[in-house]
């Protein structure tokens, strides 16, 4: 079976959706590991619910990215991970992981890239006043949300729509799009 490591820093709604699809037998893979950079992230409780092993680290305990990514890499190798799935991991991936998993790291981002990269893409879209935004799933490279796009879906922002509503609708798309992309990645048997 294809083995995924999900990287997340926050709530974990995307993690839960993927875990449910795996449990339902809709994805030909397993989530073998959750990597999390925040001790108090909600996603950790969710990993427990689904019985997924976790690797939690505090970046402040390390001299820098190279050092903590090296430790992550040891874990990934221990679990024989095939794909890294970034689901709300709010940190740039460094050379250590990029070199170890070339074209094997995918990220979901709540905008139509290349518009609104980085933090708070939904807030950025609302502040700019665009009428259409969306969701992008892409391969990860050394840039900020710059890797090759795998799939996108657009959504029209309603007049006067607030942040909460737009975020909810964007997450609905994410929860459909991300498992779909992961299903395709697994079917293509890009297993090392
Ligand atoms: C998701 O909306 C994801 O697109 C976004 O973080 C959220 C995590 O939600 N990622 C980024 O903004 C990456 N730049 P979740 O923890 O409920 O899955």
């Amino acid at each position: 079976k294809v083995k995924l490591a999900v990287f997340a820093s926050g709530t974990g709604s995307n993690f839960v959706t993927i875990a449910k699809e795996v449990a339902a037998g809709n994805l030909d893979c397993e989530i073998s590991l959750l990597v999390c950079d925040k001790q108090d992230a909600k996603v950790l409780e969710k990993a427990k619910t689904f019985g997924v092993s976790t690797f939690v680290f505090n970046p402040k305990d390390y001299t820098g990215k190279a050092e903590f990514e090296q430790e992550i890499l040891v874990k990934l190798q221990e679990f024989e991970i095939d794909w890294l799935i970034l689901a709300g991991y709010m940190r740039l991936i460094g050379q250590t992981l990029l070199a170890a998993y070339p074209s094997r790291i995918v990220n979901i981002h709540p905008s139509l890239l290349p518009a609104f990269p980085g933090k708070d893409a939904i807030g950025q879209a609302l502040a700019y006043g665009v009428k259409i935004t969306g969701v992008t799933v892409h391969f990860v490279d050394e840039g900020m949300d710059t890797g090759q796009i795998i799939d996108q879906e657009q959504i029209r922002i309603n007049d006067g729509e607030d942040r909460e509503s737009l975020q909810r609708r964007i997450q609905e798309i994410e929860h459909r799009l991300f498992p779909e992309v992961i299903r395709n990645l697994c079917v293509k048997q890009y297993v090392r």
Side-chain angles (χ1 to χ4, degrees):
K1 268 217 172 138
V2 178
K3 293 182 175 176
L4 312 180
V6 175
F7 284 52
S9 311
T11 316
S13 73
N14 280 285
F15 170 85
V16 168
T17 315
I18 299 162
K20 279 185 179 163
E21 293 283 319
V22 169
N26 294 332
L27 295 179
D28 201 14
C29 63
E30 60 186 45
I31 304 179
S32 307
L33 184 66
L34 173 77
V35 176
C36 180
D37 60 347
K38 290 215 169 79
Q39 259 80 358
D40 57 351
K42 290 263 192 303
V43 66
L44 291 170
E45 297 155 28
K46 286 159 187 166
K48 208 176 225 175
T49 309
F50 285 92
V52 171
S53 303
T54 56
F55 176 66
V56 191
F57 69 101
N58 182 352
K60 294 202 177 107
D61 295 341
Y62 299 83
T63 55
K65 198 185 291 277
E67 200 189 3
F68 65 71
E69 284 200 345
Q70 186 54 42
E71 206 161 296
I72 294 171
L73 183 55
V74 169
K75 279 282 165 196
L76 298 176
Q77 287 167 344
E78 191 180 303
F79 281 85
E80 300 181 314
I81 298 298
D82 298 299
W83 286 92
L84 313 193
I85 305 296
L86 312 189
Y89 181 67
M90 302 310 270
R91 206 167 271 288
L92 279 179
I93 297 294
Q95 278 311 321
T96 307
L97 292 180
L98 286 169
Y101 287 89
S103 300
R104 296 232 164 212
I105 312 176
V106 296
N107 179 46
I108 190 158
H109 184 77
S111 77
L112 290 180
L113 290 171
F116 312 127
K119 287 197 174 138
D120 193 19
I122 295 173
Q124 290 184 58
L126 286 171
Y128 199 97
V130 292
K131 301 296 182 190
I132 291 174
T133 185
V135 174
T136 302
V137 181
H138 64 94
F139 286 108
V140 171
D141 64 12
E142 61 284 347
M144 170 130 70
D145 301 321
T146 52
Q148 188 198 336
I149 291 172
I150 301 170
D151 207 351
Q152 291 186 305
E153 192 170 319
Q154 64 174 18
I155 187 171
R156 192 165 179 91
I157 301 177
N158 297 323
D159 289 342
E161 183 163 14
D162 65 17
R163 197 200 157 78
E164 199 189 335
S165 161
L166 182 57
Q167 184 163 330
R168 184 178 43 74
R169 294 201 300 134
I170 282 195
Q171 289 228 315
E172 278 172 22
I173 295 174
E174 292 190 337
H175 298 163
R176 193 159 25 76
L177 193 63
F178 213 6
E180 207 172 287
V181 169
I182 292 167
R183 184 175 308 121
N184 285 328
L185 296 177
C186 295
V187 166
K188 284 178 190 155
Q189 297 278 320
Y190 288 130
V191 190
R192 288 196 289 184

